[in-house]
Amino acid sequence: MFFGNWIIENLNSALETWNEKLAEIWSLLTQDPATFRGGGIWQVMLTINDALKAIGYGLLVLFFAVGVVKTFSSVSELKRPEPAFKLFIRFILAKAAVDYGLDLMLSLFAIVQGMVSTIISNSGMTEAAGSSLPQEIIYKIEDVGFLDSIPLWAVTLLGNLFITVLSFVMILTVYARIFRLYMYTAIAPVPLSTFAGEPTSSIGRNFLRSYAGVCLEGAIIALACIIFSVMASSPPAVDPNVEAVTAVWSYIGELGASVSTGKKPVRGFMWNSAIGMAAA
């Protein structure tokens, strides 16, 4: 009937919006930052990275001197070969981190991108296989009378709002991840130079740890999208003999729950990454 068709069209419209955004999310998650928007932003970040290496070398010497002063109480301790050799090795490794840190970060990013591609390809979620309204729900809605359709209108509008908001939240999260990858690339020489001194090395470790969190955030986003898409295409976990209102309420409720729980791990990774970057 007309009312049932309006409810179905409303839910299908929300799922179509989700499918469109999901295809864009897959494209962004699997895209190399070096090719994003033609690669112009990446080239600017590399230029900044090269310029900050000079500052990184200066800080390298400063942090090394601070580490020597903090670690050794007298000059006589430096005359022993073991401590002097350890300091020499630390300085060499710290310089290598400034010189080749970007290559290490790109290798880590490539590994995580392989994980993301594997997750997406094995999930079966492609542009041609998006989410769709379960047939059981369609049958239930088509049998709804006028009075029963009134509360379903409100529930459907709420579900449409949930799905639409989730779509844009995920898109913004993916774009934010790309921007943070650019920022980490640009400032890398400065926090990596802190490895030259033992007291300041925690800054470099926090920087690498938070960068790894940003990379892994792509896998978390992919998993959250996959879980929501599968749940949206599955009938609710209720008795098929129940009334249509109960079945649709359960379906919308499960979608709302997946929206709430799906955003929590993504926000957690973003928050931890932001803390690590601020510490760096």
Side-chain angles (χ1 to χ4, degrees), residues 55-273:
I55 299 176
Y57 291 139
L59 293 174
L60 189 74
V61 178
L62 175 62
F63 292 138
F64 178 75
V66 171
V68 171
V69 173
K70 291 282 187 179
T71 304
F72 300 99
S73 58
S74 63
V75 180
S76 59
E77 295 182 9
L78 287 173
K79 295 181 179 180
R80 294 186 302 167
E82 295 84 359
F85 181 75
K86 290 181 180 180
L87 287 175
F88 176 76
I89 294 298
R90 172 179 286 277
F91 184 84
I92 294 299
L93 293 177
K95 186 178 183 303
V98 175
D99 289 335
Y100 306 105
L102 181 58
D103 296 330
L104 175 63
M105 294 167 61
L106 292 179
S107 298
L108 177 60
F109 176 78
I111 294 173
V112 176
Q113 285 299 91
M115 292 172 52
V116 174
S117 299
T118 301
I119 290 172
I120 294 175
S121 61
N122 284 274
S123 68
M125 293 292 170
T126 61
E127 296 183 22
S131 303
S132 60
L133 196 63
Q135 196 64 41
E136 293 86 344
I137 296 296
I138 295 177
Y139 291 149
K140 290 287 185 181
I141 294 176
E142 289 176 345
D143 294 335
V144 171
F146 174 73
L147 293 179
D148 290 335
S149 67
I150 295 176
L152 285 183
W153 290 352
V155 175
T156 302
L157 290 174
L158 185 61
N160 194 326
L161 179 62
F162 275 152
I163 297 173
T164 303
V165 169
L166 175 65
S167 303
F168 285 98
V169 166
M170 285 300 183
I171 283 291
L172 292 176
T173 302
V174 174
Y175 275 107
R177 173 178 178 260
I178 295 177
F179 294 158
R180 288 199 302 278
L181 288 172
Y182 285 141
M183 289 187 287
Y184 277 91
T185 300
I187 68 169
V190 175
L192 292 179
S193 65
T194 61
F195 283 116
E198 179 64 30
T200 58
S201 60
S202 60
I203 298 176
R205 291 195 297 270
N206 289 335
F207 174 81
L208 293 178
R209 184 162 50 243
S210 57
Y211 176 78
V214 173
C215 294
L216 287 172
E217 188 180 308
I220 300 300
I221 294 172
L223 289 173
C225 292
I226 291 168
I227 292 172
F228 178 84
S229 297
V230 174
M231 182 172 288
S233 300
S234 303
V238 296
D239 187 348
N241 298 321
V242 299
E243 296 294 330
V245 176
T246 304
V248 176
W249 268 98
S250 178
Y251 177 71
I252 299 299
E254 290 180 1
L255 289 184
S258 67
V259 170
S260 300
T261 56
K263 290 189 292 184
K264 287 181 180 179
V266 174
R267 287 200 305 263
F269 263 78
M270 292 176 64
W271 178 250
N272 291 333
S273 301

